[in-house]
Amino acid sequence: MSSEERETILSGLKDQCSLVQKLREEKASKGKINEEIEKIKNLKISFDSQLKAIGVSDGSEDSTGKLILKTAKGTRDFQPAQMAVREKVLSKVIQVFKRHGAETIDTPVFERKDVLTGKYGEDSKLIYDLKDQGGEILSLRYDLTVPFARYVAMNKIMNIKRYQISKVYRRDNPSMARGRFREFYQCDLDIAGQYDPMVPDVECIKIMCEILEDLNIGNFVIKVNHRLILDGIFEVCGVDPSMFRTICSSVDKLDKSPWEEVKKEMVEEKRLDEASADKIGEFVRMSGKMELIDKLKETNLSQSKLAMEGLEHMKLLLKYAEIYGCLNRTSFDLSLARGLDYYTGIIYEAVLIDQNTDEKGELIQVGSVAGGGRYDKLVGMFDPRKRDVPCVGMSIGIERLFSIMEANMLKEKTKIRTIETEVFVTSAQKNLLEERMKLCQELWKCGIKTEHSYKKNPKMLNQLQYCEENEIPFAVIIGESELQNGTVKLRRISNREETEVPRSELTDIIKKHLSELM
Amino acid sequence: MSSEERETILSGLKDQCSLVQKLREEKASKGKINEEIEKIKNLKISFDSQLKAIGVSDGSEDSTGKLILKTAKGTRDFQPAQMAVREKVLSKVIQVFKRHGAETIDTPVFERKDVLTGKYGEDSKLIYDLKDQGGEILSLRYDLTVPFARYVAMNKIMNIKRYQISKVYRRDNPSMARGRFREFYQCDLDIAGQYDPMVPDVECIKIMCEILEDLNIGNFVIKVNHRLILDGIFEVCGVDPSMFRTICSSVDKLDKSPWEEVKKEMVEEKRLDEASADKIGEFVRMSGKMELIDKLKETNLSQSKLAMEGLEHMKLLLKYAEIYGCLNRTSFDLSLARGLDYYTGIIYEAVLIDQNTDEKGELIQVGSVAGGGRYDKLVGMFDPRKRDVPCVGMSIGIERLFSIMEANMLKEKTKIRTIETEVFVTSAQKNLLEERMKLCQELWKCGIKTEHSYKKNPKMLNQLQYCEENEIPFAVIIGESELQNGTVKLRRISNREETEVPRSELTDIIKKHLSELM
């Protein structure tokens, strides 16, 4: 192909695209525009298949051929020590979920793209798409809530209380130092079903409370609010109903930005008039408990039917929270808005409070570690007959909790074991590999967690060092004389005490010692 | 763009591709070939970016806009009952891994594409790619072995014994009925490190053996072979060394196809001469134990240095397998080849044997449930200095085991609980919601797994029915009279026995009952 020929192709392509643009500007018929687009598409497909036919990749690979050895941006490997912390945290979380009678499900890591479309508002741009390799168009899941709603609708489930702990994917600009990643675990519990007001809702708050208490990661407060109260506030402050959601997402920024900035966004970007913004500003600075409900009823908020309904719910929620022993952790906070569009009722968010106070003596908030709310309309979006199944749920910010636990363990110099080996079989002399193997087999048979060196003639020192480094409680030592006597030496690694025991009694003795250690 | 213009483009493209092919056939210089390829690539990129600029997707989206409610092809949701089976199976598998001192790691679900490139031979076409949304080119992991090798190289690990249980992705044509999916769990254990021959290898076989025995899923045999023995066979049968891998992958088909078909592939497709194929055919029909090693040494295989080395290893492996009590499960089988290119030493595969025999009285094999082998060169592919870390590992076909366990439980009508609730708090009369909540709070506080109805005034019958369906051992019943007396009724669901107990003693009594039930 000469460079002239290529020039011709390129200019032809460019002209064709300009033509499409022009047709659009002229508002030509869709059929006409698509016809012209098809021409480019078909040519493009020819390029793809011809390149493929001659075995050439599509130019997306690094042509230097040098392999850059790293994980994808925003992702990381988990080392054994991190996995051990993670297992510990997750097992506590699952224990709480099970204490409240939840069952678990799993959904695929990717969904048909249309399942995710139109559920996340502005955040949709953060969804990972799969390459079109023929067949369906797929995307990686962005959260566990939308797949859960798809699952409920698809299986025509009327009620379920389920938890799910799985990875989700967001093409965010990750701040890995602050514990934000592109691949991360979510840890959700949701209750679907037609029930009486606030009864499942308060249990979600109770569960959040129990998890954070059981993990013992410091003081926290659970902020609660209600979408109807927020809508009522917007209503009485003169916001047009079409603006409710966008003003709501401005309010959502109050946990990171001061009111002045949020107000600026409302007035300058979203063109809300300043008087309305100021009125909103007065409301969203309020927080409290029962007494705040009464106080609000005395304001012009009482003119809003929406708000009054929300306040009744809030009253019930706080009463139930008191019965469940978590009212002291709960704060009715009008600044809480939550980002996602799909919430329809109560919303909540747990925030860790550092024990330290800042210069002004105020408590420092270190950030959200759990959140959730009621979403009564999401399942209906998947049902062919738009039949709703009301849902309320919560998500634990488990990656943040992992980081906090890791940091705490580092601070307290707690060493965490990554293996559970109970006995290490060592040999004192050479050529005892097979004898070690026989002993391992005896111990495994009795269910004792056992290892030995994979080397034929390992050094005694190395074997014992491995035991000490890995906090293996016992070493069994065999040598020629022990083999002749039918004995072994049992060494307690912690105090280096050695006793000679008859080989026939070894497994019983070890089991006895291990049960004492528990 | 006129149709003539398009014709010109297409024929130019075609000519250019033919030119590349021709240059290749003529063995022109790489530089020259790449130069011509670049021309096509650049044109293709122009198409991509122009299409993007005018906001046209590449034709892959469903334009009808109708939401089809299903999971992506080859994937499925797991229902709570399936999850319960899965948890049971996995906990047994993990128990065995921990008994052998393994630790666990986790790697991201996607890798930079170049990490996977060139590792899977023909199967590379089954890799899922992510869409290029700017930034790195990514693919979903195809197995756990290649990411593990990347992890070992990247972290400069000299030795590790790790297990990993995670999902992998293959764009295969799934036979979901036969338990084959596009998204499925792999469950791997690998031992990396420079050790003495066959010591870690035999432990992998031992671990496979223990897992299959602990799961109690029927009779099985572990076939073992050695890549050096296979290469030796090919050598003495007159196969050109450049053909070893492709002939090996023909042999690999022997588990599904009869020898006649495999031979046909060798001779007709792969142009092996028939005499060589026949000689291979004689070898691959042999299986046995120690005696087969001696028998093979008396054939012309003894002329192959490769084969003799392999046979020495096999001898050692079988001896060690005897010590570990798994020789009776092991069969040295010359027909075992394993598909993947990266194996360099011992290979093995566990096959379930149906207790039933076919018409000829031969045992029916129902398929592979685990496999693995030694791959000493894979880590080196990731190391900048090509430094190898020898590895041996195994993978449990856990999805197949799930299916078998599910089928068995269905057959035996075993009901598996999906929730662990121990007590259900019920009310006999109306308006006792808050009293139920108080009782729940008392029970949760003591760590008792408790539920109650989310309805204000649930029917007694419905509450008890829920207990029976979910095999909840106890119901606590409160009514007006019990509240006045300071008592509750405790009902044992299995025999419907009811006793009145003082409320102050309730939690202790329940705990005592529960510990008796354990």
Side-chain angles (χ1 to χ4, degrees):
Chain A
M1 208 188 295
S2 69
S3 63
E4 287 80 30
E5 279 175 302
R6 276 180 290 139
E7 275 308 309
T8 317
I9 294 178
L10 282 179
S11 73
L13 169 65
K14 231 169 153 183
D15 291 347
Q16 183 67 12
C17 289
S18 305
L19 173 62
V20 171
Q21 287 294 46
K22 202 174 134 239
L23 288 171
R24 280 182 177 161
E25 281 160 23
E26 290 167 356
K27 299 212 188 298
S29 78
K30 256 205 159 143
K32 176 72 191 142
I33 295 175
N34 283 341
E35 196 181 297
E36 295 303 322
I37 288 175
E38 278 308 310
K39 289 180 192 167
I40 320 178
K41 278 196 195 175
N42 287 337
L43 282 172
K44 193 227 153 188
I45 290 167
S46 305
F47 271 86
D48 283 341
S49 61
Q50 287 282 358
L51 278 171
K52 210 172 168 184
I54 61 168
V56 172
S57 82
D58 63 353
S60 50
E61 275 155 39
D62 183 356
S63 57
T64 63
K66 227 200 284 168
L67 179 69
I68 302 158
L69 204 56
K70 59 176 192 177
T71 59
K73 183 179 175 189
T75 69
R76 56 177 169 171
D77 295 319
F78 278 88
Q79 313 289 336
Q82 294 175 299
M83 288 299 282
V85 175
R86 212 164 83 166
E87 269 182 31
K88 216 174 139 180
V89 173
L90 285 182
S91 87
K92 282 197 179 182
V93 173
I94 292 172
Q95 206 178 6
V96 177
F97 288 160
K98 289 189 169 171
R99 194 187 300 146
H100 288 265
E103 54 195 352
T104 189
I105 67 160
D106 192 24
T107 61
V109 85
F110 47 70
E111 295 275 346
R112 295 165 60 95
K113 188 173 173 60
D114 48 9
V115 166
L116 308 187
T117 304
K119 310 299 185 303
Y120 301 107
E122 280 178 27
D123 285 351
S124 296
K125 64 178 184 295
L126 303 182
I127 293 173
Y128 276 99
D129 292 330
L130 267 69
K131 190 168 156 183
D132 180 9
Q133 294 171 289
E136 302 156 317
I137 302 301
L138 306 171
S139 300
L140 298 187
R141 63 182 164 211
Y142 180 84
D143 66 7
L144 302 178
T145 312
V146 169
F148 170 66
R150 193 263 307 143
Y151 172 85
V152 170
M154 197 171 122
N155 294 284
K156 300 192 172 34
I157 289 166
M158 297 307 294
N159 49 64
I160 186 171
K161 173 160 53 180
R162 84 89 179 77
Y163 70 89
Q164 186 174 356
I165 300 170
S166 306
K167 286 174 174 178
V168 301
Y169 299 88
R170 297 183 185 179
R171 291 183 64 255
D172 218 334
N173 271 323
S175 157
M176 307 209 344
R178 284 172 48 227
R180 287 174 65 110
F181 294 90
R182 289 184 159 198
E183 173 186 59
F184 58 97
Y185 267 89
Q186 276 201 339
C187 182
D188 285 16
L189 180 138
D190 295 81
I191 303 171
Q194 186 71 57
Y195 299 119
D196 279 301
M198 297 301 115
V199 190
D201 311 56
V202 73
E203 192 159 338
C204 287
I205 290 173
K206 170 70 172 160
I207 290 170
M208 268 168 53
C209 223
E210 284 186 19
I211 288 171
L212 296 175
E213 280 170 0
D214 286 8
L215 287 175
N216 199 21
I217 46 158
N219 204 2
F220 63 92
V221 62
I222 299 177
K223 298 179 183 177
V224 295
N225 199 359
H226 198 294
R227 276 284 166 95
L228 289 185
I229 299 177
L230 279 170
D231 287 352
I233 290 173
F234 301 148
E235 194 179 32
V236 300
C237 295
V239 180
D240 189 85
S242 68
M243 297 270 288
F244 282 6
R245 285 286 71 76
T246 183
I247 293 301
C248 188
S249 67
S250 293
V251 173
D252 184 47
K253 291 172 184 157
L254 276 175
D255 59 341
K256 289 187 192 89
S257 314
W259 166 249
E260 289 314 315
E261 268 176 48
V262 171
K263 180 184 160 184
K264 206 174 151 191
E265 181 183 296
M266 286 179 180
V267 175
E268 290 181 14
E269 278 178 45
K270 301 188 173 169
R271 302 265 158 228
L272 187 69
D273 72 272
E274 199 172 342
S276 292
D278 285 334
K279 280 190 214 159
I280 293 172
E282 277 169 41
F283 280 109
V284 298
R285 260 171 275 208
M286 295 189 221
S287 66
K289 306 212 183 205
M290 280 295 186
E291 83 293 343
L292 178 58
I293 297 175
D294 299 328
K295 194 175 148 193
L296 288 169
K297 282 184 180 169
E298 284 160 23
T299 68
N300 64 338
L301 202 55
S302 61
Q303 295 157 18
S304 161
K305 233 183 108 182
L306 293 174
M308 290 307 277
E309 194 187 329
L311 286 172
E312 280 316 304
H313 280 169
M314 188 57 72
K315 199 168 160 185
L316 210 52
L317 182 89
L318 295 181
K319 188 169 79 173
Y320 291 162
E322 186 165 19
I323 296 176
Y324 278 171
C326 48
L327 185 63
N328 59 330
R329 301 285 197 180
T330 309
S331 166
F332 173 26
D333 189 322
L334 288 178
S335 74
L336 179 73
R338 303 277 302 158
L340 290 166
D341 279 0
Y342 54 60
Y343 290 118
T344 55
I346 205 86
I347 47 178
Y348 33 81
E349 198 164 294
V351 179
L352 281 194
I353 299 166
D354 203 312
Q355 304 296 348
N356 303 316
T357 49
D358 63 15
E359 315 91 303
K360 294 177 198 154
E362 277 176 280
L363 287 173
I364 301 164
Q365 296 186 351
V366 294
S368 159
V369 288
R374 174 163 287 282
Y375 51 102
D376 286 347
K377 301 288 172 194
L378 192 58
V379 175
M381 290 175 76
F382 292 105
D383 190 84
R385 292 188 218 144
K386 305 283 161 224
R387 193 192 46 180
D388 286 318
V389 179
C391 294
V392 63
M394 48 152 298
S395 186
I396 297 287
I398 197 77
E399 300 284 349
R400 210 146 206 180
L401 299 183
F402 292 151
S403 305
I404 294 169
M405 293 292 272
E406 269 183 56
N408 285 351
M409 292 176 79
L410 217 66
K411 214 160 59 187
E412 294 157 13
K413 297 206 168 64
T414 321
K415 210 187 151 187
I416 190 156
R417 289 192 69 188
T418 61
I419 59 173
E420 296 181 5
T421 307
E422 295 161 332
V423 177
F424 196 85
V425 175
T426 68
S427 49
Q429 285 109 19
K430 285 194 170 182
N431 301 321
L432 291 174
L433 170 62
E434 291 183 26
E435 294 300 330
R436 276 192 274 128
M437 291 173 90
K438 280 180 202 164
L439 208 42
C440 285
Q441 164 64 356
E442 285 173 33
L443 294 166
W444 285 329
K445 230 177 170 170
C446 299
I448 296 167
K449 294 170 187 150
T450 308
E451 282 188 273
H452 74 121
S453 169
Y454 294 134
K455 293 202 172 158
K456 250 165 121 167
N457 299 310
K459 291 197 182 103
M460 194 65 205
L461 190 69
N462 291 349
Q463 297 174 79
L464 293 178
Q465 207 166 13
Y466 181 83
C467 296
E468 295 196 356
E469 276 168 11
N470 288 283
E471 295 178 35
I472 298 172
F474 297 102
V476 170
I477 305 170
I478 48 171
E480 292 296 349
S481 64
E482 283 84 3
L483 280 173
Q484 273 162 16
N485 302 340
T487 61
V488 298
K489 271 205 203 99
L490 185 62
R491 179 183 172 112
R492 190 183 286 261
I493 297 298
S494 58
N495 59 13
R496 303 184 178 182
E497 231 174 64
E498 286 183 8
T499 47
E500 190 153 318
V501 302
R503 175 129 174 196
S504 56
E505 294 168 24
L506 179 64
T507 54
D508 287 340
I509 291 171
I510 289 176
K511 277 187 174 172
K512 195 170 149 276
H513 283 327
L514 286 172
S515 68
E516 285 162 8
L517 282 181
M518 290 289 275
Chain B
M1 206 187 297
S2 70
S3 63
E4 288 79 31
E5 279 175 301
R6 275 180 291 137
E7 275 307 310
T8 317
I9 294 179
L10 282 179
S11 72
L13 170 64
K14 231 171 155 180
D15 290 348
Q16 183 68 12
C17 290
S18 305
L19 173 62
V20 171
Q21 286 293 47
K22 202 173 132 239
L23 287 172
R24 278 182 178 164
E25 281 161 24
E26 290 169 356
K27 301 209 187 298
S29 78
K30 258 207 156 139
K32 176 73 190 143
I33 296 175
N34 283 341
E35 195 181 297
E36 296 302 322
I37 288 175
E38 278 308 310
K39 290 180 190 166
I40 321 178
K41 279 196 195 174
N42 287 337
L43 282 172
K44 194 234 155 186
I45 290 167
S46 305
F47 271 85
D48 284 340
S49 60
Q50 287 282 358
L51 277 170
K52 209 170 169 184
I54 61 169
V56 173
S57 86
D58 58 1
S60 47
E61 271 154 41
D62 182 0
S63 57
T64 64
K66 225 200 287 171
L67 178 69
I68 302 159
L69 204 57
K70 59 176 193 178
T71 59
K73 184 179 175 189
T75 69
R76 57 179 169 170
D77 295 321
F78 278 88
Q79 313 288 337
Q82 294 175 299
M83 287 300 282
V85 175
R86 212 163 82 164
E87 270 183 30
K88 217 175 137 180
V89 173
L90 285 182
S91 87
K92 282 197 180 183
V93 172
I94 292 172
Q95 208 178 5
V96 177
F97 288 160
K98 289 190 171 172
R99 196 187 298 146
H100 288 265
E103 53 195 353
T104 189
I105 68 161
D106 192 24
T107 61
V109 86
F110 46 70
E111 295 275 347
R112 296 165 59 95
K113 187 174 173 60
D114 48 10
V115 167
L116 307 187
T117 304
K119 310 297 187 303
Y120 302 107
E122 280 178 25
D123 286 351
S124 297
K125 63 180 184 295
L126 304 182
I127 293 173
Y128 276 99
D129 292 331
L130 267 71
K131 190 166 154 183
D132 180 7
Q133 292 171 292
E136 301 157 316
I137 302 300
L138 306 171
S139 300
L140 298 187
R141 63 183 163 210
Y142 180 84
D143 66 8
L144 302 177
T145 312
V146 169
F148 170 65
R150 193 263 307 143
Y151 173 85
V152 170
M154 199 172 121
N155 294 284
K156 300 194 172 35
I157 290 166
M158 297 307 294
N159 48 64
I160 186 171
K161 173 160 53 180
R162 84 88 179 77
Y163 70 89
Q164 188 175 355
I165 300 170
S166 307
K167 286 174 173 178
V168 300
Y169 300 87
R170 298 184 184 179
R171 291 184 63 253
D172 218 334
N173 270 323
S175 158
M176 306 207 348
R178 284 172 48 226
R180 286 174 65 110
F181 294 90
R182 289 184 159 197
E183 173 186 59
F184 58 96
Y185 267 90
Q186 275 202 338
C187 183
D188 284 17
L189 181 137
D190 294 81
I191 303 171
Q194 186 70 58
Y195 297 120
D196 280 301
M198 298 301 115
V199 189
D201 310 58
V202 72
E203 192 159 340
C204 287
I205 290 173
K206 170 69 172 161
I207 290 169
M208 268 168 54
C209 223
E210 284 186 18
I211 288 171
L212 296 175
E213 280 169 359
D214 285 8
L215 287 176
N216 198 22
I217 47 159
N219 204 0
F220 63 91
V221 61
I222 299 176
K223 297 178 184 177
V224 295
N225 199 0
H226 198 293
R227 277 284 166 96
L228 289 184
I229 300 176
L230 280 170
D231 287 352
I233 291 173
F234 301 148
E235 194 179 32
V236 301
C237 295
V239 180
D240 189 85
S242 68
M243 297 271 287
F244 281 6
R245 286 285 70 76
T246 183
I247 294 300
C248 188
S249 68
S250 293
V251 172
D252 184 47
K253 291 172 185 158
L254 276 175
D255 59 341
K256 288 187 195 90
S257 314
W259 166 250
E260 290 315 314
E261 268 176 47
V262 171
K263 181 185 160 184
K264 206 173 150 189
E265 182 182 296
M266 286 180 182
V267 176
E268 290 180 15
E269 278 179 43
K270 300 188 174 170
R271 302 265 159 229
L272 186 69
D273 71 273
E274 200 172 342
S276 291
D278 285 334
K279 279 189 213 160
I280 293 171
E282 278 167 41
F283 280 109
V284 297
R285 260 171 276 208
M286 295 188 219
S287 67
K289 305 212 181 200
M290 280 297 185
E291 83 293 343
L292 178 58
I293 297 176
D294 299 328
K295 195 175 147 192
L296 287 169
K297 281 183 181 169
E298 284 160 24
T299 67
N300 64 338
L301 203 55
S302 61
Q303 294 156 20
S304 160
K305 233 182 107 182
L306 294 174
M308 292 306 278
E309 195 187 329
L311 287 172
E312 280 316 304
H313 280 171
M314 188 56 71
K315 200 170 160 184
L316 209 52
L317 183 89
L318 295 181
K319 188 168 77 172
Y320 291 162
E322 186 165 19
I323 295 175
Y324 278 171
C326 48
L327 186 63
N328 59 329
R329 301 285 197 180
T330 309
S331 166
F332 173 26
D333 189 322
L334 288 179
S335 73
L336 179 73
R338 303 279 301 158
L340 290 167
D341 279 359
Y342 54 59
Y343 290 119
T344 56
I346 206 85
I347 47 178
Y348 33 80
E349 198 164 292
V351 179
L352 281 193
I353 298 166
D354 203 312
Q355 303 295 346
N356 303 316
T357 49
D358 64 14
E359 315 94 302
K360 294 177 199 155
E362 277 177 281
L363 286 173
I364 301 165
Q365 297 185 350
V366 295
S368 158
V369 289
R374 174 163 285 283
Y375 51 101
D376 285 348
K377 301 289 171 193
L378 192 58
V379 175
M381 289 174 78
F382 292 106
D383 190 86
R385 293 189 218 143
K386 305 285 162 221
R387 193 191 45 180
D388 285 318
V389 180
C391 294
V392 62
M394 47 152 298
S395 186
I396 298 286
I398 197 79
E399 299 284 349
R400 210 144 206 181
L401 299 182
F402 292 151
S403 305
I404 294 168
M405 293 291 273
E406 270 184 55
N408 285 351
M409 292 175 82
L410 218 67
K411 213 160 61 187
E412 294 157 14
K413 297 204 167 65
T414 321
K415 212 188 149 185
I416 190 157
R417 289 192 69 188
T418 62
I419 60 172
E420 297 181 6
T421 308
E422 295 161 332
V423 176
F424 196 86
V425 175
T426 67
S427 49
Q429 285 109 20
K430 285 194 172 184
N431 301 322
L432 292 174
L433 170 63
E434 291 182 25
E435 293 300 331
R436 276 193 274 127
M437 291 173 90
K438 280 181 203 165
L439 208 42
C440 285
Q441 164 64 356
E442 285 174 34
L443 294 166
W444 285 328
K445 229 178 171 170
C446 299
I448 296 167
K449 294 169 187 152
T450 308
E451 282 188 273
H452 75 120
S453 169
Y454 293 135
K455 294 200 170 159
K456 250 166 122 166
N457 299 311
K459 291 194 182 108
M460 195 63 205
L461 190 69
N462 291 349
Q463 297 174 80
L464 293 178
Q465 207 167 11
Y466 180 82
C467 295
E468 295 196 356
E469 275 168 13
N470 288 284
E471 296 177 35
I472 297 172
F474 296 101
V476 170
I477 305 170
I478 47 173
E480 293 295 350
S481 64
E482 283 86 2
L483 281 172
Q484 272 161 17
N485 304 338
T487 61
V488 298
K489 272 206 203 98
L490 185 62
R491 179 183 171 111
R492 191 184 286 260
I493 298 298
S494 57
N495 59 12
R496 302 183 179 184
E497 232 174 64
E498 286 183 9
T499 46
E500 191 153 316
V501 302
R503 174 127 175 198
S504 56
E505 293 169 26
L506 178 65
T507 55
D508 287 338
I509 290 171
I510 288 176
K511 276 188 175 175
K512 195 170 149 277
H513 283 328
L514 285 172
S515 69
E516 284 162 9
L517 281 182
M518 289 288 275

